[in-house]
């Protein structure tokens, strides 16, 4: 498997009671500070409702789904920044002042090893947190439930180092406690780099419990006292090192038994065969063993973990997205004709596709129209829409905007297609901001409609916001692929 088990066991066990040596870390202590993020702010419930398309089920990204006590949604703010919105259940955080103080404190942190907290909402019974959105899923997904390729050894070592650096940064900033550190708390950004979720820096619930996972993975002192300490975080870090080494979620007691019995073949992921030396395996097991010491005072701190993990790094010149096998935004995307048209800003081609599609994607709209046609006001509204459709067909953008606006302003019926058509009409009239607003509104009405994302991309390209446009383009491509798969 790429390392000699007997030698690995012997080296690991003989050195288990030694210190984790501190090596010189060439990076500055305040490395990875980020300044391009907005300052922490407070949001209203309505702002977050709009950003998540009404807390749509389709936008849930947390592992436990709609019935979980605290659900995480993906969302998009007015400025098109993608965010993760954590919505607590109504019994959590009864003390609004405590919630705001905690959130503001965590919101002061800014580091590219963290999925940073951008804001919160404390309105009535609602308690929500808003963080950077990480598009490439969790460590648990890539480690335990991979589909295309197992995580490479070099990437596992990078995850360990980046996580240690995140904890070191938080410690230096006075946030020494992290609640329920596990593989679901480590996320991957658009570049494939691992980030530590800021949500774990906040207490989990009303009773202040710090661990919700299986008791077999809980630090022994927490079981005794019910309190989390900095040393408890180190214990959890040790369990993560075991996850990285084994590719499975092995209880620490079982892993330590395997180490004592020198049965490390059972501990090491068979997918890693040939990828690492026995010396590297020895060192990683030694560090994990130190973190899992029963006595908290015998565990290392975050700074010494960084120093110990830094020399182990492999393939440092290879970017994370390459090691992970994930594509960056806008890279190697397979685009449909509509996606290609939006990428090229070919408004004629976009118009042709939208005209051909018609109103097929307006679920239930036709039925609603037929029921309400008997009123004079509704008849006038439908006439406005028909005139708008005729103008759109003949590429009379100005008339289409005017007629569709009359239809929308009445507010009786909601049609994502009308917003999409008016969006393109605005693009044809060199009004990209108005086009973007309509494309966003179309997605609010229909959260998984790929055309809304594509039109956002076209509008963002017109506004010169290349990076945001590429993100929207990728989102549209993913949604379209899902729709085609389901149909």
């Amino acid at each position: 498997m790429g390392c000699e088990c007997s030698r690995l066991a012997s080296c690991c066990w003989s050195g288990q009671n030694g210190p984790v040596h501190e090596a010189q870390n060439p990076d500055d202590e305040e490395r990875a500070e980020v300044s391009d993020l907005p300052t922490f702010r407070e949001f209203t419930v309505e702002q977050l409702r709009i950003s998540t398309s009404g807390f749509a089920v389709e936008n849930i990204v947390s592992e436990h789904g709609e019935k979980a006590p605290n659900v995480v949604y993906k969302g998009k703010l007015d400025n098109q920044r993608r965010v993760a919105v954590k919505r607590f259940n109504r019994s959590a955080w009864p003390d609004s002042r405590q919630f705001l103080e905690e959130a503001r404190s965590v919101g002061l942190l800014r580091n590219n090893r963290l999925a940073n907290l951008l804001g919160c909402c404390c309105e009535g019974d609602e308690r929500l947190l808003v963080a950077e959105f990480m598009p490439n899923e969790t460590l648990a997904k890539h480690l335990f439930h991979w589909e295309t390729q197992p995580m490479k050894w070099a990437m596992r070592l990078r995850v360990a180092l980046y996580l240690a650096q995140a904890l070191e940064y938080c410690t230096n900033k006075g946030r020494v406690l992290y609640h329920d550190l596990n593989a679901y708390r480590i996320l991957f950004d658009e570049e494939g780099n691992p980030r530590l979720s800021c949500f774990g820096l906040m207490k989990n619930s009303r009773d202040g419990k710090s661990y919700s996972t299986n008791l077999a993975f809980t630090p022994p002192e927490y079981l005794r006292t019910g309190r989390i300490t900095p040393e408890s975080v180190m214990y959890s870090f040790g369990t993560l090192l075991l996850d990285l080494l084994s590719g499975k979620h092995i209880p620490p007691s079982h892993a330590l038994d395997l180490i004592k019995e020198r049965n490390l073949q059972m501990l090491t992921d068979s997918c890693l065969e040939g990828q690492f030396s026995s010396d590297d395996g020895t060192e990683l097991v030694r560090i994990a063993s130190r973190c899992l010491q029963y006595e908290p005072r015998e565990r290392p701190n975050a700074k010494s973990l960084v120093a110990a993990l830094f020399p182990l790094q492999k393939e440092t010149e290879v970017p994370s997205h390459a090691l992970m096998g994930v594509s960056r935004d806008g890279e190697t995307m397979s685009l449909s004709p509509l996606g290609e048209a939006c990428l090229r800003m070919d408004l004629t081609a976009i118009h042709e596709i939208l005209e051909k599609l018609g109103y097929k994607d307006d679920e239930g709209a036709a039925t609603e129209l037929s029921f309400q046609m008997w009123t004079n006001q509704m008849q006038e509204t439908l006439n406005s829409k028909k005139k708008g459709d005729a103008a759109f067909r003949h590429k009379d953008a100005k008339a289409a905007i005017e007629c569709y606006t009359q239809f929308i302003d009445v507010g009786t019926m909601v049609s994502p297609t009308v917003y999409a058509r008016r969006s393109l009409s605005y693009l044809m009239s060199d009004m990209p901001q108005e086009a973007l607003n309509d494309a966003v509104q179309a997605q609010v009405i229909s959260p998984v409609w790929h055309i809304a994302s594509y039109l956002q991309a076209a509008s963002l390209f017109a506004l010169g916001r290349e990076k945001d446009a590429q993100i929207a383009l990728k989102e549209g491509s993913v949604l379209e692929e899902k729709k085609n798969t389901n149909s």
Side-chain angles (χ1 to χ4, degrees), residues 36 167 291 345 456:
D36 60 340
L167 293 175
C291 291
M345 287 296 293
Q456 288 173 46

Side-chain angles (χ1 to χ4, degrees), residues 22 66 86 134 181 189 191 210 253 330 360 379 457:
E22 292 195 23
E66 188 180 12
K86 181 170 185 176
M134 301 289 113
L181 179 62
D189 63 20
E191 297 291 333
S210 296
S253 59
K360 292 178 183 177
Q379 190 63 55

Side-chain angles (χ1 to χ4, degrees), residues 262-306:
R262 302 183 180 183
N263 188 6
L264 293 176
Q265 191 163 5
M266 292 291 293
L267 184 60
T268 308
D269 193 340
S270 59
C271 296
L272 296 173
E273 185 172 355
Q275 293 189 31
F276 67 96
S277 69
S278 59
D279 287 343
D280 286 350
T282 296
E283 182 62 10
L284 195 67
V285 173
R286 190 180 73 86
I287 297 169
S289 298
R290 296 295 297 142
C291 291
L292 295 170
Q293 289 294 295
Y294 185 83
E295 291 297 333
R297 65 177 179 274
E298 295 181 8
R299 300 170 197 157
N301 57 31
K303 183 177 181 180
S304 62
L305 285 176
V306 171

Side-chain angles (χ1 to χ4, degrees), residues 46-112:
E46 185 59 25
Q47 285 174 318
L48 298 183
R49 191 182 305 279
I50 292 172
S51 76
T52 58
S53 300
F55 299 109
V57 174
E58 296 88 348
N59 284 333
I60 294 176
V61 294
S62 54
E63 308 291 340
H64 306 295
E66 188 180 12
K67 294 182 180 179
N70 307 317
V71 182
V72 180
Y73 301 83
K74 65 179 178 180
K76 195 180 293 182
L77 302 180
D78 290 342
N79 62 2
Q80 297 304 293
R81 180 182 290 278
R82 292 192 297 173
V83 292
V85 180
K86 181 170 185 176
R87 190 183 196 186
F88 290 89
N89 64 24
R90 294 189 180 276
S91 64
W93 296 101
D95 187 336
S96 59
R97 185 173 61 180
Q98 184 189 25
F99 175 78
L100 284 171
E101 287 176 356
E102 278 278 300
R104 287 168 181 160
S105 179
V106 175
L108 293 174
L109 303 177
R110 286 290 182 268
N111 190 272
N112 64 14

